[in-house]
Amino acid sequence: MYDLILPSWPPVFDPSVRVGIALLFAALAGEIVARLIRLPRITGYSIAGLVLGPAVLGWFGAADVKSYRLLIDLALALLLFEMGVRVDLKWFRANPVLLATSLLEAGLTFACTYVVMRLTGASTGVSAGVAVIAMSTSPAIVMRMALETRAEGQVTQRMFVLTALNVVYAVVAWQLMVGGMHGVFRGDWFIAVLHPAYMLIGSLVGGVALALAFTLLRRAFNFNDEQGVAVLFGLLLSATALLIALKLPALLAPLIAGMVIKNTDPRPHLWPRHFGTAGGVVVILLFVFTGLTITPREFALGGTVAILLIFVRSAAKTVGVLALGHWSGLSVRQAVALGIALSPMSGVALLLASDVRTIYPEFGERLAAIVLCMAAILELASPIAVQWVLRFCRETREK
Amino acid sequence: MPLEAFAHSRALTLGVELELQLVNTHDYDLVGSAEDLLRILAKRKLPGDAKPEITASMIEISTNICEDYSDACAQLIGLRDELVDAAGRLNLGICGGGTHAFQHWGEQQIFDRPRFHFLSELYGYLAKQFTIFGQHVHVGCPAPDEALYMLHCMSRYIPHFIAISASSPYVQGLDTGFDSARLNSVFAFPLSGRAPFVETWNDFGVFFDKMTATGVVKGMKDFYWDIRPKPEFGTIEVRVMDTPLTVLQAARLAAYIQAVARFLIIEHPFNPSEDDYLVYAFNRFQACRFGFAGTYVDPVTHEHRSIGEDILSTLSRVEQHAIELRADKACQELYEDVREARNGAALLRHEFHDAGSLHEVVRRQCLRWKN
């Protein structure tokens, strides 16, 4: 009888207590970092993740990341959907140089990363894999920094658009590469074609369906109020769960949905950023979990190359943007700032790396060592860089 | 610095200046991209000029000297098309209207120029509150004394120009109940209001010297009067209008002002006196608050009628002058607008009623501006 009403000793906790602790630590670290040294809060969240994770305290491990995978996917889905709504395709028609800038910047990043990887002795496959992931820019850091500094202007807008395109390039190239690996590693070229085709067409269909659902719901709800935003949050959560159940990448469809909405319905699409408080919490957890993934072993394996690659990658992006900056209507100062603003890397890179690990563990291991190190370092450093360049261009409206 | 000499200009030529709003195309709030836009425009040949204004989300365009309505139209359309194209390259929206519907003045940035920083230091928050958008029309005057005659006579039509151009009902996200709330921001400035009643350029020089001797002003630029002489151009400048929602409406207003100016210069219909100004502030308030429905008190007969009625009778009165100036079509269109009580404020309120969102109202303002 007593065991029914009295707690056991030591008490047995529901697993969610770990999320609670992580969130508590992250929020504290974020506030400390923001108030004492005036750095971006997300740097604090990532520090909390690193400290709690296997790299320092070891309270959390890779297994936790797997069990909270849905939260990571959801956070990225929310961010990418919001980002998609900021991509106006008319802009590319009015300013084709902008599209050229994007292609050049991403292409240069791929090429430079690939060459450096090869020079450090990596295989063709691993080099190409890292190079594909290096093209991506973290939507989480970019969106979050723009929110924290309330930035608006040319650099901010282009940062959103180029980030969205970089995610598209990286995810699409990645699917094609994974398909190629099915061919190389398993000799199954039917799967090699089918798998990427399923992923990409599935994402496209999923994105359009999500956009359609959004449009129908918009008739009945005002997404700018509390009730409306709950509907929107629910829609994206179900969409994410459905995509995962269908083994589709959870990244591409929400981004496509956002873009379809912006370009088919020109009215302003406004809702509380990250879909209100709940969304904000999920996004904070995203940063913590990204910090959790890195282990000391990976630092030992990939640390040096990662640091080298971070410099090469940032340089490639900056040179790419700077080369066409003048013709796309930017000042030199803005072009350099935009190039640097594209350097963040985190959640997207992480998901891509961890996906390949489950299918091809050995290949994934070598690739992940480098990618995770890059992401870990950039999670701490790039928010500071983004904050700085947005201020440098006078686009922030901080209180 | 003494008052400069009144330059020669051809009588009744026009110059139109429009201050415009720069907005982003996401939530349609103001965005401080004037420098980016001006960088692109600097490479192009414009029928006129584009300049920065005090806050970074404003831009001012001005025509070269225009002969008549169709010339003003052509120049304004040319400027607008270049501007819309350049803004498209930056994914910016551009629109007319006297105020931005929901911007917060505290978030505006002062454009990086010494004069603007000086004004911001001097006026404090008023400078940022001055993120409002007006139309100025220059009218060429044959001689400086004629300019002052025209200025004082023209002041009785100020309520007309306000009511026709009024397009600033919304301020900081709320309907103010005014048709032109923009002018309330102008009245906060110490040197706003009307010019002193002096009838000769010599007397005006005396006034100007006294004012500069007090150290309060340094040049004509420091006076924020509703109508002020611009000796540098040899014009008087009517400054009370909100920027209309389209360039065509701006050109029509210029044509109406030109027709009235010709009527004044040729017929010399009034003997201006200081007493004309007894009703000035009242009439102007009525126009800002109620638009065409406001009460107009005739400065001479003290008769009361609506501003709309007074505009219609004035349009009939100056019709012959409008025909001479090839402005009759423009005046006819204005006549229709006034009779139907159509102005920018009514239109914006209608859009808000329809859309339910001020963000969407601003987006439609941008669409309207494009054509």
Side-chain angles (χ1 to χ4, degrees):
Chain A
M1 183 62 201
Y2 286 118
D3 57 337
L4 280 178
I5 52 171
L6 292 178
S8 59
W9 195 260
V12 181
F13 289 106
D14 183 87
S16 64
V17 78
R18 298 165 68 80
V19 179
I21 290 172
L23 193 58
L24 198 60
F25 264 90
L28 273 175
E31 281 314 300
I32 291 171
V33 161
R35 290 195 198 168
L36 292 188
I37 37 180
R38 300 183 61 74
L39 290 180
R41 282 187 177 76
I42 49 178
T43 295
Y45 305 152
S46 309
I47 290 174
L50 272 181
V51 171
L52 293 172
V56 184
L57 291 177
W59 292 5
F60 289 80
D64 289 296
V65 178
K66 281 209 184 70
S67 50
Y68 298 124
R69 171 68 191 260
L70 179 67
L71 280 180
I72 299 181
D73 280 323
L74 174 64
L76 283 170
L78 295 175
L79 289 160
L80 285 166
F81 183 76
E82 275 189 288
M83 183 161 265
V85 167
R86 305 205 51 154
V87 180
D88 192 342
L89 298 178
K90 281 201 303 292
W91 196 1
F92 300 130
R93 212 180 317 138
N95 192 351
V97 184
L98 182 63
L99 194 57
T101 305
S102 169
L103 292 168
L104 179 65
E105 165 266 307
L108 262 182
T109 305
F110 180 89
C112 294
T113 311
Y114 180 82
V115 168
V116 170
M117 282 297 288
R118 291 291 288 156
L119 289 178
T120 61
S123 69
T124 330
V126 173
S127 301
V130 172
V132 164
I133 293 179
M135 285 195 293
S136 74
T137 300
S138 160
I141 294 176
V142 157
M143 294 284 286
R144 194 63 209 184
M145 283 321 297
L147 173 70
E148 224 182 285
T149 59
R150 304 181 60 245
E152 194 53 76
Q154 278 301 299
V155 174
T156 309
Q157 278 199 39
R158 289 175 193 224
M159 175 174 84
F160 286 143
V161 170
L162 295 188
T163 299
L165 289 180
N166 280 341
V167 171
V168 173
Y169 302 149
V171 174
V172 170
W174 187 252
Q175 299 309 338
L176 296 176
M177 222 187 83
V178 169
M181 284 195 294
H182 296 321
V184 173
F185 290 147
R186 301 190 173 163
D188 189 342
W189 290 99
F190 177 67
I191 289 287
V193 174
L194 186 70
H195 190 212
Y198 173 68
M199 293 292 220
L200 298 178
I201 294 170
S203 294
L204 206 60
V205 173
V208 172
L210 182 54
L212 208 63
F214 173 93
T215 310
L216 289 175
L217 285 170
R218 183 170 174 165
R219 291 193 191 155
F221 293 95
N222 173 10
F223 293 138
N224 224 343
D225 67 25
E226 225 170 299
Q227 288 70 36
V229 88
V231 172
L232 201 48
F233 194 83
L235 175 67
L236 275 154
L237 180 57
S238 344
T240 308
L242 185 65
L243 288 168
I244 293 171
L246 295 174
K247 287 199 190 300
L248 286 169
L251 299 173
L252 211 45
L255 181 61
I256 291 171
M259 288 165 68
V260 169
I261 289 164
K262 174 72 180 176
N263 290 281
T264 52
D265 181 353
R267 290 178 300 172
H269 299 286
L270 303 170
W271 49 75
R273 295 270 190 131
H274 308 338
F275 311 95
T277 323
V281 169
V282 176
V283 171
I284 293 176
L285 284 173
L286 170 70
F287 288 103
V288 183
F289 288 137
T290 330
L292 285 183
T293 47
I294 187 90
T295 66
R297 201 170 66 85
E298 276 147 357
F299 256 120
L301 262 173
T304 334
V305 181
I307 291 171
L308 177 65
L309 282 180
I310 286 172
F311 280 106
V312 171
R313 175 173 169 275
S314 301
K317 288 194 176 293
T318 309
V319 168
V321 175
L322 191 57
L324 294 175
H326 175 74
W327 288 275
S328 74
L330 289 182
S331 69
V332 173
R333 162 193 282 248
Q334 287 173 319
V336 171
L338 179 57
I340 294 172
L342 293 177
S343 66
M345 209 170 133
S346 70
V348 171
L350 193 93
L351 284 193
L352 296 181
S354 74
D355 281 351
V356 76
R357 239 171 167 179
T358 40
I359 311 181
Y360 297 106
E362 198 200 331
F363 172 84
E365 212 57 43
R366 270 174 291 158
L367 178 131
I370 292 168
V371 170
L372 292 187
C373 282
M374 288 175 79
I377 297 168
L378 282 172
E379 266 218 336
L380 298 179
S382 67
I384 304 170
V386 174
Q387 183 187 47
W388 186 78
V389 297
L390 292 177
R391 283 184 186 156
F392 177 67
C393 294
R394 297 191 3 125
E395 296 198 357
T396 59
R397 293 180 294 179
E398 287 157 293
K399 289 264 160 71
Chain B
M1 195 172 68
L3 183 61
E4 55 196 307
F6 198 85
H8 175 76
S9 75
R10 279 204 303 114
L12 299 174
T13 49
L14 290 170
V16 181
E17 297 169 9
L18 294 172
E19 290 157 350
L20 302 171
Q21 320 187 16
L22 304 180
V23 297
N24 74 52
T25 52
H26 174 63
D27 64 6
Y28 290 86
D29 198 354
L30 287 176
V31 61
S33 291
E35 204 177 331
D36 304 308
L37 192 61
L38 289 167
R39 193 183 317 119
I40 293 186
L41 291 173
K43 294 179 208 155
R44 305 191 178 185
K45 202 162 157 38
L46 302 175
D49 197 11
K51 287 194 290 282
E53 259 296 332
I54 182 145
T55 61
S57 47
M58 313 171 72
I59 190 169
E60 181 186 295
I61 54 170
S62 51
T63 62
N64 296 322
I65 298 170
C66 311
E67 291 299 319
D68 57 9
Y69 169 69
S70 66
D71 190 10
C73 255
Q75 291 198 31
L76 284 171
I77 288 171
L79 278 166
R80 178 200 65 193
D81 290 348
E82 286 290 346
L83 225 61
V84 165
D85 182 72
R89 286 174 47 87
L90 298 169
N91 203 22
L92 286 177
I94 292 196
C95 62
T99 53
H100 183 275
F102 59 87
Q103 58 106 0
H104 285 283
W105 63 266
E107 289 181 355
Q108 302 311 316
Q109 287 178 338
I110 300 298
F111 192 93
D112 197 6
R113 282 264 173 97
R115 175 167 167 84
F116 297 140
H117 286 302
F118 164 78
L119 290 174
S120 171
E121 283 286 301
L122 175 65
Y123 290 116
Y125 91 117
L126 286 184
K128 288 189 177 182
Q129 290 247 354
F130 211 51
T131 306
I132 49 175
F133 309 86
Q135 175 182 4
H136 301 171
V137 173
H138 287 269
V139 185
C141 302
D145 292 356
E146 280 292 294
L148 289 171
Y149 174 80
M150 196 154 48
L151 185 154
H152 293 303
C153 293
M154 191 76 90
S155 64
R156 73 189 58 211
Y157 300 107
I158 284 298
H160 296 192
F161 308 147
I162 293 173
I164 293 170
S165 71
S167 55
S168 51
Y170 297 104
V171 173
Q172 316 274 303
L174 293 171
D175 190 335
T176 58
F178 277 67
D179 269 17
S180 169
R182 162 184 156 272
L183 280 171
N184 295 328
S185 299
V186 180
F187 301 153
F189 284 82
L191 297 168
S192 66
R194 43 157 285 213
F197 188 72
V198 289
E199 292 186 276
T200 65
W201 193 246
N202 276 338
D203 289 350
F204 189 79
V206 172
F207 164 82
F208 185 83
D209 291 340
K210 281 197 237 166
M211 281 304 282
T212 43
T214 63
V216 171
V217 297
K218 292 199 174 62
M220 282 305 298
K221 246 185 156 37
D222 296 324
F223 293 111
Y224 286 45
W225 296 330
D226 296 344
I227 314 179
R228 76 180 175 196
K230 179 99 177 170
E232 187 188 339
F233 293 168
T235 61
I236 62 165
E237 182 185 9
V238 184
R239 300 155 44 84
V240 287
M241 285 82 75
D242 283 358
T243 297
L245 299 178
T246 62
V247 285
L248 281 185
Q249 187 68 358
R252 283 188 205 118
L253 259 160
Y256 179 45
I257 292 174
Q258 191 189 28
V260 168
R262 188 174 193 275
F263 162 63
L264 296 174
I265 276 193
I266 291 189
E267 298 192 20
H268 269 256
F270 308 113
N271 286 317
S273 76
E274 174 63 38
D275 280 0
D276 292 350
Y277 286 103
L278 289 175
V279 295
Y280 183 79
F282 175 86
N283 282 345
R284 190 177 57 175
F285 163 78
Q286 287 283 325
C288 290
R289 175 71 178 85
F290 301 108
F292 297 125
T295 303
Y296 181 82
V297 182
D298 189 294
V300 180
T301 65
H302 299 174
E303 187 193 331
H304 290 218
R305 49 184 171 267
S306 80
I307 292 169
E309 283 164 0
D310 201 59
I311 300 174
L312 294 180
S313 70
T314 306
L315 278 165
S316 310
R317 183 78 180 74
V318 303
E319 192 182 359
Q320 196 52 43
H321 297 281
I323 292 170
E324 293 291 333
L325 291 164
R326 294 170 302 278
D328 45 323
K329 185 171 151 280
C331 287
Q332 186 56 40
E333 286 160 353
L334 272 187
Y335 194 94
E336 297 299 322
D337 276 353
V338 177
R339 219 181 42 191
E340 312 266 320
R342 276 193 302 244
N343 64 7
L347 219 137
L348 292 175
R349 286 196 171 105
H350 174 78
E351 298 277 31
F352 181 66
H353 182 75
D354 179 55
S357 145
L358 286 176
H359 302 271
E360 172 67 3
V361 169
V362 178
R363 186 182 76 84
R364 294 185 189 181
Q365 249 170 284
C366 293
L367 286 180
R368 195 173 290 278
W369 174 256
K370 280 187 192 178
N371 32 98

